């Protein structure tokens, strides 16, 4: 797609396991992108969901209306919510040459060197650890969304904060606040790792 | 108000705006989210309606038949196997000229069992006497659903709104949800002259003999043909109320000056339009035509629109096994009857949810242009060896 | 030629895609291992069919056919008719979920029973349309949350009671019908074996917890099914020709809350007074079932050797004082 000043188009693929909220994260990202003035599409890998099974979800963000409803084959970024997937799913398949990777991990995995992805394109964030401190159990998805924004700046963090406030409102103020904190923590953590690399 | 919504949610909201009084629900992937959202609305009192969880799709169709005959605007939705299980009742509803509206979340048909999208389900019901409208986007699904009630109640013909399962139902995208007050202006309260009523008793669903059955069927056919005008004016009126229209029966895209037109139905046409734009930039005289209304088959509009074209490439997500592609056959017949000898290259694609990508579309187009002999509905991108 | 995997000769072998803790997978493995590979299995659409035959793969090591959702009983009738015509005694077994038994499959089931086909029909009852995303069926218990019976401002979950399909089946006066569940394997085993030893239409309803739809920890499936029995909500009984011939007695009755509280699908009943009313309904239902089947009664004439169709204590039941005395 065009990379001129006036139009942008990005595709993001989320990898997770059923029950970890990968699909919700994709939906939330598309809501935030929409609120931030973009056109967006989000959809899960179509099929039946099972607890614990690998899932994928996709987001397309564009400045112009997205007319087609095709799958995502060459994402500009991937978000990996569960490190164990690296062993069983070809998570990096199709990732564009300058693509970004957000990974829920304490540090870069061994495989990273074999891939042709520059350090500057990675954000490794200990999202389980961060979310556990906030929610009492690992809920990495919002943390990783913050990291994605830090890495790509494709949408504003405030748009995600607003999307959380608005669309999670029914779960109560406490949940909303914790999710915003998780988002910001993920953002800060990713910014930190990028500074370390720079 | 413009919002980012999941397709199924948008459709459920559209149903709510139409103020249905009876909803029959039997789940089948990929329609499930539609009926789940409606269940929650009813459970929260946001939609006052009788929500009936029936025991099968056969019962769902039967329930809305009874509800409409009983004087209530009703809704149901299904797909694939469920739609087929309704077949007997769909014919019955149409034959009784009941204004039922349903959504078909287009999905492939068993066997082998496949939960993903194609048009085989609704296409298999093309002879039932229902109006069939196919939408390209979730926005169009919302708008067409609202239009459907008006068309159905005005023509006394049932309407099936067809939207691609998963590609539309499970996709979040921007939708402008109409305002209730404007919908109320556009869509009058439910009226059905032959409502079952002790004050005006009527017999519905009686018998017929050889001397009059043909006339019943002919009158149904005439009603369907006449519905074309109602479909067009309803869409035009909708555009006046809400600012969005879809061309009525057909949605031509850059057909003017095109040598070759890509023709098809449903959400796949978004990618087709992108391909047209991209090829036009390269100087190719290509256009697209989306068939919004498949039943009645808009012969006059199609012939008018395509008369000057050199070639039509049909991409369709259904076929008549042992014969050919369905849309291709009907289009060729329409051209023949109009005295037009425009070659129609037919391709069957996207069955069972296979993605019809711009690359696949371009390949079909180039093959059609390059080949001199007619293509009688080839399966696109088919790797037979992988399953034999 | 026996083509089964020598390491895993089970009829339902490993590699299928059930959720962790799936009660249906457990029950199906138990039941089909008891029946064995020398049978023909006719499966309705549902979880079991989906997770065992996904995308060109199969976990079945026995002849197996799936047609559509509603017709497993009719297809099985056809298989049985063919085998009968050919003089082949291979048993025919239907496997269906509650959807394919209580709802969309009820018509074909009734037809099959009425015609007296020699078929064993097994219903794995997980109390909702699970594989399409947890929508209610007529088997869903009163008060349960599903996606089409959601709790809301005006609703406490499923309004209607769980359909008493066993009574419907019993009214056909066919040879054998029984309920069982995964927590009581010896009982299940005895019932399957009993069913296999009989001719005509035999029916088993096996309560199969679903961690996803019932919303409990995967590891608790067996204990949840035990609680269903111990509260009296799911009595383990046997019927022959429409009459009760055996029940599993309860040593004591557990309050329904013990069962309801471990499942998220009932949690909304515990935070409002409307919910509390529903809990009382469920307790009344359990009490009624216990009374109806005499689950807390001391042994009655069902347990004497004088009755012609009698099973002492049901299978795997709690022993009662003096049980060895013949009256």
């Amino acid at each position: 797609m065009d990379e001129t000043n006036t139009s942008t188009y990005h595709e993001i693929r989320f990898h997770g396991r059923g029950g970890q909220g990968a699909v919700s994260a994709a939906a939330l990202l598309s809501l935030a992108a929409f609120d931030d003035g973009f056109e967006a599409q989000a959809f899960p890998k179509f099929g039946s969901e099972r607890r614990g099974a690998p899932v994928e979800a996709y987001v397309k963000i564009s400045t112009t209306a997205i007319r087609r409803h095709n799958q995502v084959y060459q994402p500009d970024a991937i978000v990996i919510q569960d490190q164990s997937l690296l062993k069983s799913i070809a998570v990096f398949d199709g990732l564009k040459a300058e693509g970004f990777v957000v990974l829920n991990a304490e540090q870069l995995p061994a495989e990273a060197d074999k891939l042709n992805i520059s350090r500057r394109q990675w954000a490794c964030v200990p999202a389980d650890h961060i979310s556990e401190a906030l929610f009492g159990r690992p809920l990495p998805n919002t943390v990783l969304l913050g990291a994605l924004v830090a890495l790509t700046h494709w949408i504003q963090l405030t748009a995600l904060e607003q999307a959380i406030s608005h669309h999670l409102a029914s779960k109560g103020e406490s949940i909303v606040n914790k999710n915003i904190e998780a988002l910001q923590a993920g953002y800060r953590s990713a910014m930190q790792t990028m500074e370390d690399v720079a | 108000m413009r919002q980012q919504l999941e397709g199924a949610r948008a459709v459920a909201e559209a149903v709510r705006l139409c103020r249905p009084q009876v909803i029959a629900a039997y789940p089948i992937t990929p329609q499930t989210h539609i009926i789940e959202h409606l269940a929650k609305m009813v459970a929260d009192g946001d939609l006052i309606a009788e929500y009936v969880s029936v025991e099968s799709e056969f019962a769902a169709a039967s329930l809305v038949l009874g509800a409409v005959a009983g004087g209530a605007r009703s809704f149901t939705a299904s797909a694939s196997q469920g739609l087929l299980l309704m077949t007997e009742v769909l014919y019955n509803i149409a034959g009784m000229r009941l204004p039922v509206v349903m959504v078909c979340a287009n999905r492939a048909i068993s066997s082998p069992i496949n939960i993903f999208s194609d048009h085989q389900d609704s296409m298999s019901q093309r002879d039932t006497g229902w109006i069939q409208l196919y939408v390209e986007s979730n926005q169009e699904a919302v708008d067409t659903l609202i239009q459907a009630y008006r068309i159905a109640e005005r023509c006394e013909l049932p309407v099936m709104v067809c939207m691609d399962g998963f590609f539309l139902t499970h996709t979040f995208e921007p939708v402008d949800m109409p305002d209730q007050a404007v919908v109320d202006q556009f869509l009058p309260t439910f009226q059905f002259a032959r409502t079952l009523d002790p004050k005006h008793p009527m017999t519905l669903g009686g018998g017929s003999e050889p001397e009059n059955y043909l006339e019943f069927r002919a009158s149904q056919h005439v009603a369907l043909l006449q519905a074309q005008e109602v479909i067009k004016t309803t869409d035009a009126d909708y555009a006046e109320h809400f600012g969005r229209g879809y061309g009525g029966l057909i949605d031509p895209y850059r057909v003017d000056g095109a040598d070759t037109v890509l023709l098809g139905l449903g959400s796949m046409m978004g990618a087709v339009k992108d391909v047209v734009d991209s090829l036009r930039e390269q100087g190719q005289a290509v256009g697209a035509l989306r068939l919004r209304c498949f039943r009645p088959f808009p012969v006059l509009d199609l012939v008018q629109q395509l008369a000057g074209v050199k070639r039509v490439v049909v991409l369709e997500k259904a076929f008549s096994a042992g014969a050919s592609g369905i849309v291709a056959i009907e289009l060729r017949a329409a051209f023949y009857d109009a005295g037009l000898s425009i070659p129609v290259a037919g391709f069957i694609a996207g069955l069972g949810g296979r993605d019809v990508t711009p690359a696949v579309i371009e390949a079909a187009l180039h093959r059609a242009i390059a080949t001199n002999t007619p293509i009688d509905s080839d399966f696109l991108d088919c790797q037979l060896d992988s399953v034999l | 030629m026996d083509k089964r995997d020598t390491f895993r000769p089970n009829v339902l072998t490993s590699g299928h895609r059930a959720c962790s803790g799936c009660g249906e997978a457990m029950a199906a493995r138990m039941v089909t291992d008891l029946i064995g590979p020398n049978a023909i299995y006719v499966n309705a659409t549902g979880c079991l069919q989906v997770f065992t035959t996904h995308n060109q793969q199969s976990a079945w090591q026995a002849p197996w056919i799936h047609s559509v959702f509603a017709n497993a009983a009719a297809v099985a009738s056809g298989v049985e008719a063919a085998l009968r015509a050919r003089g082949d005694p291979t048993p025919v077994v239907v496997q269906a979920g509650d959807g394919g038994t209580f709802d969309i499959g009820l018509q074909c089931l009734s037809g099959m029973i009425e015609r007296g086909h020699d078929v064993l029909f097994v219903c794995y009852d997980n109390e909702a349309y699970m594989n399409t995303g947890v929508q209610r069926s007529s088997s869903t218990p009163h008060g349960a949350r599903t996606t089409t019976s959601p709790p809301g401002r005006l609703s406490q979950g499923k309004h209607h009671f769980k359909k008493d399909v066993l009574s419907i089946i019993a009214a056909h006066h066919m040879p054998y019908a029984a309920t069982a569940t995964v927590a009581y394997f010896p009982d299940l085993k005895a019932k399957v074996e009993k069913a296999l030893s009989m001719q005509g239409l035999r029916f088993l309803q096996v309560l199969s917890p679903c961690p996803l739809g019932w919303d409990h920890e995967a590891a608790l499936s067996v204990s949840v099914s035990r609680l269903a029995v111990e509260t009296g909500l799911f009595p383990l009984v046997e019927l022959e020709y429409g009459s009760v011939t055996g029940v599993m007695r309860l040593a004591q009755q557990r309050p329904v809350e013990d069962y309801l509280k471990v499942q998220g699908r009932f949690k909304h009943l515990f935070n409002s007074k409307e919910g509390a009313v529903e809990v009382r309904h469920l307790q009344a239902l359990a009490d009624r079932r216990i009374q109806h089947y005499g689950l807390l009664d001391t042994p009655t004439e069902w347990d004497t050797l004088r009755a012609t169709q009698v099973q002492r204590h049901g299978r795997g039941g709690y022993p009662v004082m003096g049980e060895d005395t013949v009256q």
Side-chain angles (χ1 to χ4, degrees), chain B residues 22-25 50 52 54 57-68 74 89:
Chain B
V22 176
I23 296 167
E50 293 292 321
V52 188
V54 285
E57 290 90 349
F58 177 76
S62 304
L63 196 121
V64 293
L65 184 160
V68 165
S74 308
V89 185

Side-chain angles (χ1 to χ4, degrees), chain B residues 355-383:
Chain B
D355 199 9
V356 181
T357 60
V360 161
I361 296 163
E362 282 192 47
L365 179 65
H366 290 134
R367 212 176 113 208
I369 294 173
T371 325
N372 271 328
T373 51
I375 299 171
D376 180 23
S377 292
D378 247 17
F379 288 86
L380 253 190
D381 177 35
C382 180
Q383 319 281 336

